[in-house]
Amino acid sequence: AQSVAQPEDQVNVAEGNPLTVKCTYSVSGNPYLFWYVQYPNRGLQFLLKYITGDNLVKGSYGFEAEFNKSQTSFHLKKPSALVSDSALYFCAVRDEPGNMLTFGGGTRLMVKP
Amino acid sequence: KAGVTQTPRYLIKTRGQQVTLSCSPISGHRSVSWYQQTPGQGLQFLFEYFSETQRNKGNFPGRFSGRQFSNSRSEMNVSTLELGDSALYLCASSLGQGGTGELFFGEGSRLTVL
């Protein structure tokens, strides 16, 4: 079975400061990991994914994520937050090619000016 | 390239009625997945279709059903609506089934059950 946990319901950060949104996962095999962002009344937009290779993955809008196998984590990061980054962020995992994508509960990011 | 299109965007139904939601995937995408999003339960997987066959199914009652047509368009149906079915229903498409590919989501159909 596969599962994802996002331990923080909300993360608050000041504009210009670095941000981290946490994600931990549980899978039986090798994980395929994804981050998505959702703006109000919109669908989810893909940010980045880890499949294999370099543990640091770079994605859209300046976001990056670090895969840590020993800690089973895939935290989302950005060096300098923007007010426009305020949104709902979802981490997702798939452990077998034929499995569906399982999402975490989401973390609301609030960036204040 | 057009994105994933979901219709209708908003709808209001009463308990006991049924509803059909439609999803047109990105051209060339053969896999369509459906998710239910609610404030309390987050994103819950409903089902996934690939080449007109249901490949995966989530833990929802039989009132929730779906299908995929030969042009990859998909519909989902909810019969005997309950208040708890009020949610944003999201459709997502991808080139193939599962694998390493990401999902591309539509903007959703917001269902309100009164």
Side-chain angles (χ1 to χ4, degrees):
Chain A
Q2 55 190 38
S3 64
V4 180
Q6 293 181 242
E8 302 154 318
D9 289 337
Q10 183 161 316
V11 169
N12 298 308
V13 65
E15 187 175 30
N17 284 359
L19 69 88
T20 299
V21 183
K22 296 180 180 178
C23 170
T24 59
Y25 65 90
S26 175
V27 298
S28 55
N30 292 319
Y32 303 150
L33 293 155
F34 303 79
W35 275 102
Y36 287 83
V37 60
Q38 186 179 34
Y39 297 99
N41 299 314
R42 303 297 295 274
L44 276 68
Q45 296 178 29
F46 169 75
L47 280 178
L48 51 80
K49 66 180 177 182
Y50 171 83
I51 304 302
T52 187
D54 195 351
N55 289 343
L56 185 63
V57 179
K58 295 188 182 296
S60 307
Y61 312 120
F63 284 94
E64 58 189 28
E66 186 168 11
F67 171 66
N68 188 315
K69 187 173 184 178
S70 62
Q71 296 185 5
T72 61
S73 66
F74 189 56
H75 301 331
L76 182 70
K77 300 181 181 184
K78 187 174 183 181
S80 179
L82 300 172
V83 173
S84 57
D85 292 331
S86 298
L88 190 56
Y89 290 80
F90 290 95
C91 181
V93 70
R94 176 187 290 130
D95 66 352
E96 294 289 342
N99 280 356
M100 74 284 192
L101 203 55
T102 297
F103 285 84
T107 298
R108 186 165 300 281
L109 174 65
M110 299 289 291
V111 181
K112 299 186 177 179
Chain B
K1 204 175 198 180
V4 177
T5 304
Q6 291 188 246
T7 57
R9 288 291 313 280
Y10 302 91
L11 65 166
I12 299 173
K13 294 286 187 177
T14 57
R15 281 181 297 175
Q17 288 187 310
Q18 73 164 10
V19 66
T20 299
L21 308 178
S22 178
C23 173
S24 293
I26 291 172
S27 177
H29 285 194
R30 296 171 61 193
S31 177
V32 173
S33 301
W34 288 89
Y35 288 82
Q36 181 196 65
Q37 184 178 18
T38 58
Q41 297 297 317
L43 275 164
Q44 301 289 312
F45 173 76
L46 281 157
F47 21 67
E48 177 185 11
Y49 288 87
F50 180 77
S51 294
E52 302 179 66
T53 301
Q54 187 179 91
R55 303 291 179 156
N56 286 299
K57 188 177 189 305
N59 189 26
F60 277 81
R63 300 186 297 107
F64 291 80
S65 63
R67 58 178 175 169
Q68 186 180 33
F69 302 96
S70 58
N71 62 358
S72 294
R73 191 177 71 84
S74 177
E75 289 182 347
M76 68 162 283
N77 183 277
V78 187
S79 62
T80 320
L81 285 166
E82 301 177 359
L83 295 178
D85 297 333
S86 295
L88 180 65
Y89 290 87
L90 292 167
C91 166
S93 74
S94 60
L95 275 172
Q97 182 201 354
T100 61
E102 60 269 29
L103 301 181
F104 295 83
F105 283 82
E107 297 200 336
S109 293
R110 183 166 296 281
L111 170 65
T112 301
V113 182
L114 301 177

